[in-house]
Amino acid sequence: MKETEISELGEFGLIDHLTKDIQPVNKSTIYGIGDDAAVLEYGDRETLVTTDMLMEGVHFDLTYTPLKHLGYKAASVNISDIYAMNGKPCQMTLSVALSKRFSVEDMEDFYDGVMLACRKHGVDLVGGDTTSSLTGLAISITCIGEARKEDIVYRNGAKQNDLICVSGNLGAAYMGLQLLEREKAVFNSTGHDDGEPFSPDFSGKEYLLERQLKPEARGDIIKELAEAGIKPTSMMDISDGLSSELIHICRQSGTGCQVYQNRIPIDYQTAVMAEEMNMDVYTCALNGGEDYELLFTVPLECHERIMTLKDVRLIGHMTKPELGRMLVTDSGQEIELKAQGWQSHLDE
Amino acid sequence: MKETEISELGEFGLIDHLTKDIQPVNKSTIYGIGDDAAVLEYGDRETLVTTDMLMEGVHFDLTYTPLKHLGYKAASVNISDIYAMNGKPCQMTLSVALSKRFSVEDMEDFYDGVMLACRKHGVDLVGGDTTSSLTGLAISITCIGEARKEDIVYRNGAKQNDLICVSGNLGAAYMGLQLLEREKAVFNSTGHDDGEPFSPDFSGKEYLLERQLKPEARGDIIKELAEAGIKPTSMMDISDGLSSELIHICRQSGTGCQVYQNRIPIDYQTAVMAEEMNMDVYTCALNGGEDYELLFTVPLECHERIMTLKDVRLIGHMTKPELGRMLVTDSGQEIELKAQGWQSHLDE
């Protein structure tokens, strides 16, 4: 199939082409793409805004990331931030800077992924910017959501004795990344002058790849919590790793915490892969990041109701600040939680 | 002065460092930086959202752009888009991706510029993302504003016989860019092994530099229009050049237009510089871009009131669509307006 050079369409042509079928689904979207700014209308609700920037070579590697997945992930990551406030994601703006090596078809794939996530979560794409880049792809997304004032959950509301919960399981996205990086290294070292595409056999490890390449924003958990009548006292999504996020919540809430290593939810495939790679699976779960699961605290009296929720695990409790932020190992030893994560990118 | 490596502070350290003194000024800013999303509250007003992405080497050249000016410009460009809807800018998110060659002091300069523009226009910085880049600096800004429903001005409201107006003067930012590029070429060609900084003598041309490096969002014009009781029928800010923006308004409004070359406002320094560079000053004014002046249409009956406004010029009128989008030259010849602008970046 012949690929279309982006310069054939131009900026406005490309935007028209990519956005012509977009229909707003939210009543609050008065006017979307096509003017200097989108127009949103909120009544008695509060507006939530979050933004993220993703850079090629830092946040994603196109050797093994299909553009459609990248679009889905970029959108999901921002949608996840609105859920992490206990809000409903409603609108999104999408800015993309791309070098000449990208074609219109590439951008279609990318937009397909973005729109798939948007449709799944009822989000309207209402604007953005498309521009050129000298090197690689840069993506910036802003997601806007709404919530009733009394429903919004901040990071700073956790209290002593609150229970600490996480959704899903942790470390899988990180193990997926390790797997992809390992296969990429093999691929590069064996030489591929014949232009053979990167397509290793990942069978049996699909779940890890999916968690890395196509993370899901946990709107289902937000819905479950609401249905169970539980309002968390604090909440975050886990993007940098459980340790880092727990430290944020403790700092902002003025508490300490105690988390039990053997309560941390880990998928079977994650454990197998960690073993295969000779890595400590708990280190991966605590510091791996990119899980986009929800970390939240609830009052002690919610204990029974929390236990009825599907896919939510109780991993510890909040303590007095003097007790520090501690991981209790299987052998009963207390180790201080340390933040790792994004820092490593700059140190590379 | 010793520069601080960004890795010394880390992401969160850097954000804390840069944002610790930020105090919200808008009542609608319920919660700013420090959670998954900012929280805004709007009552009977509508919310406006705009976003822009700026890439090093495409949108700016750090050889001759001080980082403080870059911050000011990046913020102003977005604020300008909210004014172009006849809105009031209120909040901003700022995402920055930077390579290792930038120091904390560099980012302070950049933030200083952003905050200067924010303070000038009463905008709260409420969130963002700071991350690393393999090459160069990438900036993405989203600005959120408010307006009463009945005050919002779209691009599609122009009617036949409406008067076409622009604020300020055009082409100066483009001539400023030409000047900087010329001096940079001289600087590079003469060899500077001694590490001498780029500092040519720009005396007498300060205005052109200022228009390129430190453009002003025309909130003053929005205020003047409101005070004069004039609501434009359509409005845009001029980022890609007068021709391109007129075509947008005509297309979206379903009209043609007639613009008189000799009515196009051009500053004395712009004319001198165009002469010096052997360029047609009207081509610069029509296609140069980055003026961030306001282009708007008003009903014919506003004629007298428009004439009383400082710094607003009447340049033509809207016509039937069949008459096309025309520039009437000094000799009375009609030439069709053509869009140029961003396209050229991709073609380079």
Side-chain angles (χ1 to χ4, degrees), chain B residues 155-166:
Chain B
R155 294 180 186 171
N156 63 8
K159 301 270 180 298
Q160 273 179 53
N161 303 322
D162 280 359
L163 302 171
I164 304 171
C165 308
V166 290

Side-chain angles (χ1 to χ4, degrees), chain A residues 66-263:
Chain A
L67 281 160
K68 186 170 175 178
H69 284 74
L70 182 62
Y72 190 87
K73 182 169 178 172
S76 297
V77 165
N78 279 278
I79 289 169
S80 178
D81 273 327
I82 300 293
Y83 286 134
M85 301 295 290
N86 206 26
K88 179 190 170 323
C90 299
Q91 287 91 9
M92 184 177 282
T93 65
L94 167 62
S95 294
V96 179
L98 49 148
S99 66
K100 287 179 77 164
R101 81 183 149 96
F102 294 96
S103 69
V104 172
E105 287 73 15
D106 290 335
M107 282 302 100
E108 285 172 350
D109 287 345
F110 179 76
Y111 259 70
D112 276 354
V114 169
M115 292 312 301
L116 192 64
C118 282
R119 274 192 302 273
K120 181 166 182 177
H121 296 278
V123 171
D124 296 322
L125 189 66
V126 294
D129 194 15
T130 307
T131 189
S132 47
S133 147
L134 293 184
T135 55
L137 180 63
I139 303 159
S140 177
I141 290 184
T142 298
C143 188
I144 295 162
E146 60 168 26
R148 287 188 306 177
K149 192 172 193 159
E150 60 272 28
D151 290 339
I152 297 178
V153 177
Y154 294 91
R155 293 178 185 173
N156 63 7
K159 301 273 180 297
Q160 272 178 54
N161 303 322
D162 279 359
L163 303 172
I164 304 172
C165 308
V166 290
S167 64
N169 61 71
L170 303 179
Y174 182 73
M175 289 322 301
L177 180 63
Q178 296 308 310
L179 175 63
L180 286 162
E181 287 287 346
R182 184 182 71 181
E183 295 306 317
K184 183 187 163 189
V186 171
F187 179 77
N188 287 340
S189 69
T190 52
H192 289 265
D193 302 340
D194 51 358
E196 194 186 315
F198 176 73
S199 58
D201 179 15
F202 288 123
S203 56
K205 302 203 159 59
E206 293 85 355
Y207 178 69
L208 301 179
L209 293 189
E210 200 171 303
R211 288 299 301 268
Q212 169 57 225
L213 296 176
K214 194 167 173 288
E216 300 290 349
R218 301 304 306 261
D220 57 333
I221 301 289
I222 298 302
K223 198 164 159 251
E224 269 195 276
L225 285 168
E227 285 167 1
I230 300 169
K231 184 191 167 190
T233 50
S234 70
M235 184 154 56
M236 277 186 81
D237 68 337
I238 301 177
S239 52
D240 290 335
L242 178 63
S243 279
S244 169
E245 318 306 16
L246 274 170
I247 292 170
H248 276 297
I249 288 185
C250 286
R251 266 198 201 139
Q252 297 194 27
S253 297
T255 62
C257 72
Q258 204 145 39
V259 165
Y260 296 89
Q261 182 177 300
N262 60 16
R263 298 272 189 95

Side-chain angles (χ1 to χ4, degrees), chain A residues 7 10-11 35-40 46-50 52-53 59 85 129 131 135 140 142 155 252 342-343, chain B residues 10-11 34-40 46-50 52-53 59 85 129 131 135 140 142 155 252 342-343:
Chain A
S7 56
E11 179 193 8
D35 216 299
D36 297 289
V39 181
L40 318 177
E46 297 204 347
T47 306
L48 305 165
V49 182
T50 184
D52 255 313
M53 195 157 189
H59 301 95
M85 301 295 290
D129 194 15
T131 189
T135 55
S140 177
T142 298
R155 293 178 185 173
Q252 297 194 27
W342 179 86
Q343 181 64 42
Chain B
E11 179 193 9
D35 217 299
D36 297 288
V39 181
L40 318 176
E46 299 203 346
T47 305
L48 305 164
V49 182
T50 184
D52 254 314
M53 196 155 185
H59 301 96
M85 301 294 291
D129 195 14
T131 188
T135 54
S140 176
T142 298
R155 294 180 186 171
Q252 297 194 28
W342 179 86
Q343 182 64 41

Side-chain angles (χ1 to χ4, degrees), chain B residues 105-161:
Chain B
E105 287 73 15
D106 290 335
M107 282 302 101
E108 284 172 351
D109 287 345
F110 179 76
Y111 259 71
D112 276 352
V114 168
M115 292 312 301
L116 193 63
C118 283
R119 274 192 301 273
K120 182 166 182 176
H121 297 277
V123 171
D124 296 322
L125 190 66
V126 295
D129 195 14
T130 306
T131 188
S132 48
S133 146
L134 293 184
T135 54
L137 181 62
I139 302 159
S140 176
I141 290 184
T142 298
C143 189
I144 296 161
E146 60 167 27
R148 286 188 307 177
K149 191 171 192 160
E150 60 273 27
D151 291 340
I152 297 178
V153 177
Y154 293 92
R155 294 180 186 171
N156 63 8
K159 301 270 180 298
Q160 273 179 53
N161 303 322

Side-chain angles (χ1 to χ4, degrees), chain B residues 226-285:
Chain B
E227 284 167 3
I230 301 169
K231 184 192 166 188
T233 50
S234 70
M235 184 155 55
M236 277 185 81
D237 67 338
I238 302 177
S239 51
D240 290 334
L242 178 63
S243 280
S244 168
E245 318 306 18
L246 275 169
I247 292 170
H248 275 298
I249 287 185
C250 286
R251 266 198 200 139
Q252 297 194 28
S253 297
T255 62
C257 72
Q258 204 146 40
V259 166
Y260 297 89
Q261 182 176 302
N262 61 14
R263 299 272 189 97
I264 295 173
I266 289 169
D267 184 77
Y268 174 74
Q269 282 195 29
T270 307
V272 168
M273 188 71 202
E275 184 74 26
E276 200 179 313
M277 292 200 142
N278 207 19
M279 297 173 90
D280 179 57
V281 71
Y282 291 107
T283 306
C284 300

